Structures are given as structure tokens and as C-alpha cells.
Amino acid sequence: MPATVADVMTRDPIAVKPDTSLQDALQILAEKQIGGLPVLDEAGAVVGLLSEDDLMVRESGVTPPPFVKF
């Protein structure tokens, strides 16, 4: 049987809220040595994902196109 997402996903991931400061999010990423954080609203629904790539793009000042293919 082929592997599934459930076989490799992280259960109960560390998450942040939309109003979490970037400083706090960066600290979580660094301390936990993880590459991304789901962003949850007050009801616990996923409203986004914050990744290391998002932060690198922000710091670079470059606005990437909506889709980048390598």
C-alpha cells in the first residue's frame, strides 16, 4: 500500500493566530527547529500557513509572482 499524508504528517502541530507577532513566530520556528506554522482563527480553523520561505521573501524585499516554477 502506498504511503499517505497521514503516515508522515505532524499531529497536533504548533500553531499561531493571525495577530501573533512575527518576532514571536520567528522565535517559535527557531526554538522548535521547524519550517512552518499553521495560522488558526479563533474557532481553530486554518486560515493560512507561515513558512520560512514567506519570511525570506519578506526580508528580501522582492515581490515574487503568484506562482514560481523551478
Side-chain angles (χ1 to χ4, degrees):
M1 175 183 242
T4 66
V5 171
D7 295 329
V8 297
M9 71 182 197
T10 300
R11 298 189 191 287
D12 301 319
I14 300 166
V16 293
K17 294 182 179 180
D19 61 351
T20 301
S21 72
L22 283 178
Q23 179 73 24
D24 288 346
L26 282 166
Q27 186 170 352
I28 293 167
L29 291 171
E31 287 177 358
K32 301 298 183 180
Q33 298 180 349
I34 54 178
L37 293 164
V39 182
L40 308 181
D41 67 11
E42 293 299 323
V46 176
V47 295
L49 177 68
L50 176 68
S51 71
E52 288 178 321
D53 291 343
D54 295 328
L55 298 169
M56 286 190 292
V57 166
R58 179 183 169 91
E59 283 300 307
S60 73
V62 174
T63 303
F67 179 78
V68 177
K69 183 176 181 180
F70 294 99

